[in-house]
Each structure stands twice: as structure tokens, then as C-alpha cells.
Amino acid sequence: MSDAIRTSTPIFVRESMTADRAPPVSNAGPAAWIRDNLFPTPLSSVITLLALLFLAWALPPLVRWLFIDAIWSAPNGDLCRAPGAGACWAYVWQKLGFFMYGSYPREEVWRVNLVLLSGAALVVWMLWPDARGRGGAALAFFTVYPVLAFGILTGSAPFPTRWLPTSGTGQLLWAFLYVVLIAGAGTLFYTGRLTALAMAMIGFVAWAEIGAWWPTLGLSHVGTNLWGGIFVSLLVATVGIVFSLPIGIVLALGRRSQMPIVRFLSVLLIEFVRGVPLITVLVMANTMLPLFVPQDWSPDRLLRPLIGVALFSAVYMAEVVRGGLQAIPKGQYEGAMAVGLSWWQMMQLIVLPQALVTVIPGIVNSFIALFKDTTLVAIVGIFDFLKAVETARLDPVWAGPSISTSGYVFAAFFYFVFCFGMSRYSLMMERRHAAGRKR
Amino acid sequence: MPPAANDKGVAMVAPELLKPAPLTSPVAVEMTKVNKWYGNFHVLRDVDLEVARGEKIVICGPSGSGKSTLIRCINRLEEHQEGRIVVDGVELTDDLGRIDEIRRDVGMVFQHFNLFPHLTILENCTLALIWVRRMPKRDADEIAMHYLRRVRIPEQADKYPGQLSGGQQQRVAIARALCMSPKIMLFDEPTSALDPEMVKEVLETMERLASDGMTMLVVTHEMGFARQVADRVIFMDRGEIVEMNDPESFFTNPRHERTKLFLGQILR
């Protein structure tokens, strides 16, 4: 028992509620900020001073080399070889076409530009958060665009025309198939059911038609052996990114499947491909893929590393997505099942949207790694951007130590811009998805 | 916004969209000698239960007594290993199509709501109508707004679940289940995760639903609700039905020792 002596029980009843008050004003301003953030403790002050010293030591020569002493225009490497000369931007400017397109015929590079610009426009449209018709842009980018891009870049028909029969009966059969497909697509479209199948049928007919009509455009054939530079790096990265995510999702779902064989095959593929270096995957894709298929079907030399890169990043993606799937509480599955959704609907509408948003940082991390890994396709003879920089420095007109360095600095700048852009975009998407949706 | 959003408290939904879903069989749920194990743990032992059309049943018991498992077997969130469960004349088997059919007709409300946090309140309610019932979005919106009015939160339709209080979320969960016009409603401790101030609004919603004639199986420890609403109270322990009686006799005159002990613990 307490020894406290009270004369009466303390009674309290509030008579009026206290009104809100503004928080106390903090001593803001630049001086306070510097004190709080740069010199809060003696140790922090020492570190701040050391950092400032380092910057004072490193920055001026760097700025001088990059900008002040840099050679901005020159007919050849003589100026850049002079003592005290900085970066040789004249060389980068001179070789820009080679960096961009590799050995793609100069009079045909408009085709590459057309494909790159239209692709960039579609990507920006598709990824712009509040743009109208994003779904349409995505559909175009993933279906029509690759076919047309292939046709424009190679100059060959974007449809394997040897499938088209030439004999009389063959053409009759072909015409019959057309009538069936168009009539079927029309019916399906009209009744509103299986719209996707109807679109696929229309797409097939359109594809074949364009394929038959394509050669009349008179585009010259440009083999993939002439492709190179930034354009090929972007192509490999885009194909890798576009394929790695869906394949990764399928593998992640397979790994968590109840079906033992599906699970075993997924685990086998993931662990096998993840367990070997990318270079090994590329070399295997290059030498072994042709052995698995008939000689006529032997994949193009550019297609082989594309498959290798996509597969390699897909298995990493699978593990990232699996992490996201594991973060979804069991109650979400039960809620989805209880309202009667099927397994596919549950995955598509409830589980994957939440899982993928959870792992946006991991997904973009994989994309960034993939983007830089594209430089490794040079090992199997693909002339990517870094290989172009490597080759250009052998030109005797532009030989010189600071000239070579300038090329590499430019390459570093290019990779940094793209990776940093991806990183910023993912941060923006994370913030948008986080708003108002906390669990 | 859906057309029905100008809330005046009057239902503006075309009546044919809110067709009552009568049970085809006079027996809503029939369980015969149902047994279930989690690994070696015998969680349901020879459970026999018959629920009539329109009947309200409250199931109580200590934790781990199998009461949640029992109602989760009815829409096959759990699989029973022995015995028969017949829901509205359809026996639960491994036939996937049948299970989807049952789940469409049996609504469920969970302890932790299990709303979809990435969808708005309205989308939470319309999702199954659009994807399972294949209903046009307009009609689905109308139905969802109708039920959101019935649980008295139509003004929250465009918010996300994370922005609502627990009681509001649970009422959304009830509306989401009702949108599918279920024949039977299962409630798995619907008020256990709520702050005390929120319990009443959820119980009132359930009482209104009961007075509309819904067949309900409710796992709860809200004895006031049981007294007022239930036709029968079931007490479970160790996976068995220990005692079953009308609420009045159950609370005033429990017969089994275990029931007396349990009621003594919770009714102080």
C-alpha cells in the first residue's frame, strides 16, 4: 500500500478540448542547414573537411581536361596529340556515325533512325504515367513495331515468304484459309467474345499480306553482319528487357507451382542458367543453338546472343519476381479465391500486380545489369557500341592516348545516362504506387 | 463515377440486376462425418451439421478448436479428407469447376478483411462481378454502389482500403461478398481484429443482413450478437461439436462441462 496521504480523490473532468496549435518554428535557413547537416559533431566536421579537400584536389583538373583544354573540333588527331591537350571531342564527333550505326551502309542509316526514333516515341508514350492511350502504344510496341522494325532494318520481308505456297492448289488452300480466318475473326469480334483471338487472326492475315507486299518497297538487303554500334546495343538491351520480364514471371510462377514436374523444370532451368557466367551462355547460344535445329532454320548470328541474353536475365528476373510473390500475404489469395476468381485471374488481377510493384527496385536493378551486360555480346562477334569504340581507336589518323580515353569517357557517359534514367523512372513509379495504397 | 453515385439513400439499381439468389435446396449446408487433419493434427473429428435455408448459426469455442477450419471447408479454402460436404445440393469434390461454382454462391468475410490494397473500394467490389460474372462495368458499378450504400459507406467508393478504418474496411468486405449475390455467407471472426469502437458498426451491418433472411454461419465471440441473431449456437472443442442449442438455452443452461467452463471464462 502506498503511504501517500491524500485529502481527497483527484477528480478531473475536461471542460473544453484544446485547439490545434502550429508546431514551434525551427531555426531554418542555410546557416542552420549547414550546421545541422555538415558540422553536427567533431567527427562529421572532419569528414566534411576531408571531402571538401578531396573535391578541391580532384575537380579542377577533371574540369580542365573535360572542358577547358578539350579539343572541340579538329580535322585529325594532331591537335589532340599536342602536349597539354585535354579530351578530344572532335574525335567523338568525327566517329559518331560509326559509334551509332557500326558498318550499316551510310546511305541507308535513315532506316535505323526511323526505327530508333519511332521506337523511342512509342516507349516514351507507353511509359509516360498519365498519357492517354498507353495501352495502344504498348500493343503497337510489342506486336506491330518489332515486325516492321525487322522489315525496315533488314530490307527483307518481315514474314517468311517461303511458307507461301506457289502451286495452284497451294494458293487455293491459302485463299481458303484467308476466308476462314477473316470470317472467323469478324464473327468473334462482332460477338465481343474472344476479342484477343480475333485480333490475332486479323494480325496473322495482315502480317502475311504485308510480307507478300514488302519487297515492292525496294529496300536493299542489309545483313546483320553490318549492324553495329549504339543501335545494336539498344536492340540487344530492349529485346532482353522485353523478354526477360514475362519469361521471368512464368519461371517464378513455375517455381512456386504445386505441380512437381513444372516446379522441377523451372528450378532446373533457373539454377542451371544462373549457375554459369553470361559469357558461357553466349558462347553456348552461339555454337550450340545451330546444332539443335535444321540447317535451314539456323538462327541468325545476331539472334543467338539475343536469345542468350534474354534467357540469362530471365532467370535472374524469376528470382526477383519470386521474392515479390512471397511477400504477398496468404489472405490475398484467400480473398481472391473466396470471391470466385480462377487461379489465372487471381494471379493476373490480385497477386502479380502487387508482387511486381513490391519488387520494382529489383526489376530495374536487373534491367540496369542487363543493359551493361550487353557489352559482352562482343565476345561472340556482335559489333556493339563498346566494340565500336574499341575499333575506332585503332584508326591511325586518330591514334593517341587522350583520344582513346575520350572515346571511353563518351561510352561511360552513354551507359550512365541510360542506367540513371531507368533508376529515376523506377523511383518515380515506386512513389506513384506507394501513394494512398499502404496496406 | 458510376451513375448511381448521387447517393440519396434510394436504390437506383435496375431490379433485375439484384435478383435474389434463392437456395435451390431447403438444406443449405450438409456435413456428414467430416474429418480433416493438418499433417498428423486431427483438426476436425466426425463433424455432423445440417444448416437449413435462412438459418443463422453462431459457432464459438477456444482457439484451435477447429471452428474456422469448419467454415473454411464449406467454400473449400480447406479440403476435408473424409466425409461429405454438400452445399446447396452440390457435393464438394476435387472437380475444380464445381468449386468455382460453390465459391461464387458462398460469400466469405475474414478476420483481417483481405481487401485488395491496390484496388479502390469500388474496384474491390466490382472485380468478381466483371471477371467471374462477366458483367459490363456499368452494371457492376451500379450493383457495387447499391451494396456500399447498404453498408453505409458509398462516399468511400474511390478511396483505397489503406485509407479506411478497420470497421469501414470490414463493411467493404461484407459489401464485396454481397455483390456476388451469395446464397450463404460465412463470417470468420469478423470483429476480432477491430478496435472496440468499430465492432458495433460491423455487427449492426450483420444484423441487418440477418433480418433480410440470409443464411449465415458466423464464427465469433460476440455473445450479444449470438443471443440476438442466432437460431442455433454451436460450441466446438478439439475439433468436435460439443454442444448445440438455441441461444437462450445455450447461455442460460449449458449442459456440457466444457461449455460451462468456456462460458464461465468469457462471460464475467
Side-chain angles (χ1 to χ4, degrees):
Chain A
M1 285 308 270
S2 158
D3 293 332
I5 297 160
R6 288 190 196 281
T7 52
S8 64
T9 317
I11 296 177
F12 173 73
V13 180
R14 183 171 290 286
E15 280 165 357
S16 63
M17 308 302 270
T18 318
D20 285 353
R21 280 194 302 139
V25 183
S26 63
N27 39 357
W33 186 90
I34 288 175
R35 198 189 58 233
D36 290 350
N37 293 285
L38 299 182
F39 302 101
T41 66
L43 179 63
S44 306
S45 306
V46 171
I47 293 173
T48 302
L49 287 176
L50 284 177
L52 287 175
L53 273 177
F54 173 77
L55 286 179
W57 172 75
L59 264 188
L62 193 65
V63 170
R64 209 177 314 127
W65 189 83
L66 279 176
F67 302 107
I68 299 168
D69 292 345
I71 309 296
W72 295 90
S73 66
N76 55 44
D78 290 345
L79 271 174
C80 297
R81 278 189 291 269
C88 192
W89 302 131
Y91 153 79
V92 171
W93 181 245
Q94 184 79 35
K95 296 285 183 186
L96 197 59
F98 185 67
F99 290 167
M100 276 296 288
Y101 313 108
S103 309
Y104 207 91
R106 279 296 165 274
E107 61 279 11
E108 300 287 343
V109 293
W110 65 269
R111 284 152 62 173
V112 179
N113 289 335
L114 178 67
V115 167
L116 284 183
L117 289 177
S118 55
L122 278 176
V123 166
V124 169
W125 187 3
M126 178 171 74
L127 298 182
W128 198 272
D130 295 317
R132 295 162 69 93
R134 292 176 64 190
L139 193 70
F141 183 74
F142 290 119
T143 57
V144 182
Y145 176 74
V147 177
L148 291 183
F150 176 85
I152 293 169
L153 290 175
T154 60
S156 320
F159 188 83
T161 36
R162 62 189 145 148
W163 288 1
L164 291 174
T166 44
S167 71
T169 30
Q171 274 176 346
L172 259 180
L173 274 173
W174 194 247
F176 178 70
L177 176 68
Y178 260 42
V179 172
V180 169
L181 279 178
I182 292 171
T187 316
L188 292 175
F189 205 75
Y190 183 74
T191 56
R193 287 182 181 276
L194 303 172
T195 313
L197 182 62
M199 299 284 278
M201 287 154 102
I202 293 169
F204 181 79
V205 171
W207 189 14
E209 273 309 305
I210 292 172
W213 159 83
W214 197 263
T216 60
L217 277 179
L219 292 174
S220 61
H221 177 76
V222 181
T224 52
N225 54 333
L226 297 177
W227 301 13
I230 287 174
F231 142 61
V232 161
S233 289
L234 289 177
L235 176 81
V236 176
T238 311
V239 170
I241 285 172
V242 164
F243 280 93
S244 67
L245 188 56
I247 299 175
I249 290 172
V250 170
L251 285 175
L253 291 177
R255 187 160 190 170
R256 282 170 60 83
S257 167
Q258 308 269 344
M259 292 176 276
I261 293 180
V262 172
R263 189 170 60 235
F264 175 74
L265 289 178
S266 305
V267 172
L268 189 72
L269 186 62
I270 290 171
E271 296 301 343
F272 179 70
V273 178
R274 210 160 55 126
V276 294
L278 175 56
I279 293 174
T280 317
V281 175
L282 288 175
V283 172
M284 275 173 63
N286 201 36
T287 54
M288 286 170 67
L289 270 182
L291 303 178
F292 286 130
V293 290
Q295 198 149 34
D296 270 7
W297 289 81
S298 177
D300 181 272
R301 53 183 285 284
L302 179 59
L303 183 60
R304 295 173 213 166
L306 281 182
I307 294 172
V309 167
L311 188 66
F312 188 77
S313 48
V315 299
Y316 277 91
M317 198 58 76
E319 290 299 280
V320 171
V321 173
R322 188 165 70 96
L325 291 174
Q326 278 168 351
I328 304 299
K330 199 165 154 253
Q332 290 294 306
Y333 292 86
E334 291 179 351
M337 282 190 279
V339 294
L341 295 183
S342 69
W343 188 87
W344 289 106
Q345 288 171 336
M346 175 172 78
M347 284 300 162
Q348 180 198 341
L349 301 168
I350 305 300
V351 177
L352 279 175
Q354 295 184 64
L356 293 181
V357 167
T358 314
V359 292
I360 285 178
I363 293 175
V364 175
N365 197 27
S366 288
F367 285 168
I368 288 174
L370 162 73
F371 191 81
K372 293 178 295 178
D373 280 351
T374 57
T375 49
L376 289 174
V377 296
I379 296 214
V380 289
I382 304 302
F383 204 77
D384 81 314
F385 174 41
L386 202 61
K387 186 78 181 168
V389 173
E390 188 82 28
T391 311
R393 66 186 270 264
L394 302 177
D395 182 352
V397 179
W398 290 97
S402 81
I403 302 178
S404 297
T405 313
S406 303
Y408 288 123
V409 169
F410 176 64
F413 176 72
F414 165 83
Y415 284 103
F416 177 77
V417 166
F418 272 84
C419 295
F420 189 66
M422 283 194 261
S423 163
R424 288 286 113 181
Y425 180 78
S426 88
L427 280 179
M428 187 192 74
M429 292 312 286
E430 272 177 65
R431 272 201 291 274
R432 285 182 68 90
H433 283 293
R437 300 185 188 192
K438 56 187 194 301
R439 206 166 270 138
Chain B
M1 277 307 284
N6 50 345
D7 176 40
K8 297 279 187 289
V10 186
M12 267 165 279
V13 184
E16 70 272 13
L17 291 179
L18 296 171
K19 265 179 298 197
L23 289 153
T24 44
S25 155
V27 181
V29 181
E30 190 186 349
M31 302 178 107
T32 323
K33 293 249 172 286
V34 172
N35 277 285
K36 175 169 178 61
W37 291 260
Y38 287 132
N40 285 327
F41 178 58
H42 200 168
V43 62
L44 290 181
R45 305 170 196 234
D46 286 341
V47 172
D48 285 306
L49 177 64
E50 204 178 276
V51 183
R53 182 198 297 169
E55 205 176 7
K56 290 105 185 100
I57 291 188
V58 163
I59 305 168
C60 56
S63 63
S65 60
K67 50 196 193 306
S68 288
T69 309
L70 178 76
I71 65 166
R72 287 159 62 89
C73 280
I74 294 173
N75 68 349
R76 217 176 173 74
L77 286 182
E78 306 284 355
E79 265 176 57
H80 61 286
Q81 282 133 321
E82 276 178 14
R84 264 163 57 91
I85 300 179
V86 181
V87 179
D88 192 26
V90 182
E91 183 172 357
L92 294 188
T93 57
D94 286 332
D95 184 349
L96 275 174
R98 280 280 173 82
I99 292 166
D100 284 348
E101 210 174 289
I102 295 287
R103 283 181 180 156
R104 256 174 272 162
D105 291 340
V106 179
M108 182 144 191
V109 175
F110 300 87
Q111 181 178 2
H112 295 289
F113 331 133
N114 295 354
L115 295 178
F116 308 129
H118 62 303
L119 302 177
T120 64
I121 299 307
L122 186 67
E123 287 165 346
N124 263 279
C125 294
T126 57
L127 185 83
L129 290 172
I130 292 170
W131 290 89
V132 179
R133 295 250 192 258
R134 300 278 165 202
M135 193 176 273
K137 192 180 173 304
R138 251 184 96 86
D139 296 348
D141 282 349
E142 275 189 46
I143 291 180
M145 287 310 293
H146 171 83
Y147 285 108
L148 285 176
R149 274 196 295 274
R150 250 182 86 177
V151 302
R152 315 228 161 125
I153 36 175
E155 70 281 357
Q156 313 283 4
D158 291 327
K159 292 195 182 162
Y160 286 92
Q163 296 167 299
L164 268 55
S165 74
Q168 290 173 323
Q169 291 195 45
Q170 193 61 297
R171 285 186 283 153
V172 172
I174 294 174
R176 176 176 77 178
L178 289 179
C179 281
M180 292 295 281
S181 321
K183 298 170 177 175
I184 301 166
M185 283 285 284
L186 309 174
F187 292 84
D188 189 359
E189 307 207 24
T191 57
S192 313
L194 296 178
D195 289 343
E197 283 183 312
M198 315 270 171
V199 171
K200 191 162 164 255
E201 62 188 59
V202 172
L203 289 181
E204 280 174 357
T205 309
M206 290 164 64
E207 281 162 21
R208 280 204 302 281
L209 189 60
S211 63
D212 290 347
M214 176 65 75
T215 310
M216 292 164 69
L217 282 93
V218 184
V219 172
T220 185
H221 293 140
E222 296 292 338
M223 292 303 137
F225 175 83
R227 258 179 203 275
Q228 204 178 332
V229 174
D231 297 313
R232 259 192 293 168
V233 180
I234 291 175
F235 175 68
M236 286 184 75
D237 189 27
R238 294 180 61 249
E240 287 175 302
I241 293 181
V242 174
E243 188 161 344
M244 170 156 70
N245 212 331
D246 63 276
E248 196 50 41
S249 322
F250 180 85
F251 288 113
T252 53
N253 186 23
R255 297 188 194 161
H256 197 281
E257 283 309 311
R258 187 69 189 87
T259 320
K260 286 178 189 165
L261 184 66
F262 179 76
L263 287 176
Q265 298 283 1
I266 64 164
L267 300 174
R268 264 169 297 175

